[in-house]
Amino acid sequence: MNRKILTLGFAVLALATACVLHNRQTRDDSRTFRWPSMGTIAQVTVRGNLAHEDDLIARVRDSYTHLESRLSAWDPTSELSRLAADGCTNWLAAVSPDVRPCYAAALRLARESKNAFNPAVGRTLRTLGIGRRGTYASFDLGAIAKGFAVDFAAKQITTGPSESLLLDLGGNLRVLGDRPWRAGIRNPFSCRDASQPAFCAVVVLTNGESVATSGNYERFIEKDGKRLSHILDGRTGEPTHGIAGVTVITPSAYGATLADGLSTTLFVLGPDEGAPFLATYYPQALALWIPDTPSSPRLIATQAMARRLEQATAPIETR
Ligand code: AMP
Ligand code: MG
């Protein structure tokens, strides 16, 4: 895993903490479990005395390992890679039933966004030199698989009163249980400029909500000494420009799958196309765009997101 990450210039640890979380009340009744999974860092934070905690962590871990064997675009032996190599076109018919909802959500987002979101970018990513020995699959669910894995793991877990859990897979978070969590939205410019505040805002997340962040600063493609965005415009195949970060909050009806898929889609669309897209197709999702203007940071939020942002460190415009 590390070699792939280094090849790409990915700073996975930093990405995994795209949202740094702290408890609303005390910090000391929480426990965090962390391990590498699905090409990033998986983290589970638990508050309250959960029964069978070890068993719960094992179930989350097993869910991610299982889904990696199905959905990885890196691993040539994964189900996705094998089907892509065979030239699969009817994905929904070909894939295992347990991952079909992930493909369905991805294909729907592609249709609705008129291919701004487009799993076929895997082909371009491969020609840009991603993956070892050209093994990167031509069909890529990297923009949605981690969110799907979080929802998949969440289904294996039940929480009792006053128990609370936060699943985080590479910056895709979902809250389970009644207690709220405060999430800091990372300032994408702080990793290159220590004078910038670490966070651009804070949001409080409640039961069932998910949040996903897509960013350009800590994860990118190095090509001929140049840094290119790892998020491509699926309509043109070109690396995107202009946006440094997008954060999406979704209610439980949408889940982490859509938070993940939407953060990438809205990264490509930008606020001008993205806000009407959201209002048409996903009106319950909240979005924040951070334009790539480090010297004059500003936040562009949907109205509902603007109402949720606390302690903003830059001016907020609404769309
Ligand atoms: P995320 O971090 O969730 O925004 O996902 C970014 C990853 O999604 C990239 O590293 C690519 O593997 C993949 N990707 C890039 N551009 C697109 C796109 N336009 N549509 C779908 N997937 C994409
Ligand atoms: Mg995504």
Side-chain angles (χ1 to χ4, degrees):
M1 184 191 78
N2 279 344
R3 210 177 120 201
K4 287 175 193 163
I5 289 164
L6 287 174
T7 313
L8 288 169
F10 283 8
V12 165
L13 264 173
L15 183 78
T17 54
C19 287
V20 172
L21 292 131
H22 30 267
N23 297 342
R24 195 177 190 111
Q25 293 134 13
T26 58
R27 279 168 190 250
D28 42 6
D29 74 333
S30 72
R31 279 120 16 240
T32 298
F33 303 80
R34 201 177 282 122
W35 66 97
S37 191
M38 294 184 79
T40 185
I41 302 298
Q43 193 165 294
V44 181
T45 309
V46 174
R47 284 156 61 193
N49 291 317
L50 260 73
H52 311 298
E53 192 169 280
D54 291 344
D55 174 52
L56 182 149
I57 300 300
R59 267 181 283 151
V60 176
R61 193 187 287 261
D62 290 350
S63 297
Y64 294 166
T65 306
H66 169 68
L67 292 179
E68 188 160 23
S69 76
R70 293 258 197 262
L71 299 172
S72 172
W74 303 97
D75 174 0
T77 68
S78 75
E79 180 180 79
L80 177 146
S81 295
R82 283 187 285 108
L83 287 168
D86 287 348
C88 181
T89 49
N90 191 352
W91 291 92
L92 292 182
V95 299
S96 301
D98 57 358
V99 288
R100 202 171 286 144
C102 183
Y103 286 79
L107 294 170
R108 197 174 69 228
L109 275 174
R111 210 168 43 243
E112 292 162 348
S113 71
K114 302 192 171 52
N115 282 334
F117 180 97
N118 188 354
V121 295
R123 202 177 299 280
T124 314
L125 289 169
R126 186 164 57 182
T127 57
L128 282 169
I130 304 260
R132 282 180 286 176
R133 299 182 294 277
T135 54
Y136 201 78
S138 56
F139 192 87
D140 177 15
L141 293 179
I144 197 165
K146 290 192 275 294
F148 177 74
V150 166
D151 285 340
F152 191 94
K155 288 202 188 98
Q156 332 276 327
I157 297 166
T158 46
T159 48
S162 82
E163 296 172 348
S164 190
L165 215 108
L166 188 88
L167 299 178
D168 176 356
L169 184 57
N172 296 280
L173 283 67
R174 181 166 177 148
V175 171
L176 302 175
D178 290 337
R179 294 161 70 177
W181 294 78
R182 285 172 78 77
I185 299 173
R186 271 284 290 275
N187 176 352
F189 311 124
S190 64
C191 62
R192 293 203 203 147
D193 177 358
S195 69
Q196 293 254 3
F199 299 104
C200 50
V202 170
V203 287
V204 177
L205 301 172
T206 56
N207 194 358
E209 281 191 319
S210 299
V211 58
T213 297
S214 289
N216 237 356
Y217 266 55
E218 292 159 336
R219 200 172 168 203
F220 48 83
I221 299 165
E222 292 230 51
K223 181 81 179 159
D224 303 330
K226 277 200 246 154
R227 285 183 171 195
L228 303 175
S229 172
H230 68 115
I231 300 177
L232 310 182
D233 186 329
R235 298 166 292 195
T236 61
E238 294 294 318
T240 49
H241 301 279
I243 298 290
V246 170
T247 294
V248 171
I249 300 177
T250 55
S252 59
Y254 290 179
T257 308
L258 279 175
D260 189 3
L262 283 171
S263 72
T264 313
T265 309
L266 296 176
F267 197 99
V268 177
L269 292 177
D272 293 342
E273 281 184 273
F277 169 83
L278 218 51
T280 305
Y281 295 107
Y282 299 97
Q284 292 180 57
L286 285 55
L288 170 71
W289 292 264
I290 304 172
D292 197 0
T293 52
S295 56
S296 54
R298 60 204 176 98
L299 310 177
I300 303 179
T302 58
Q303 302 273 358
M305 176 65 104
R307 287 194 289 275
R308 295 281 294 270
L309 297 176
E310 298 175 12
Q311 300 171 38
T313 56
I316 305 172
E317 292 168 29
T318 52
R319 286 286 195 282

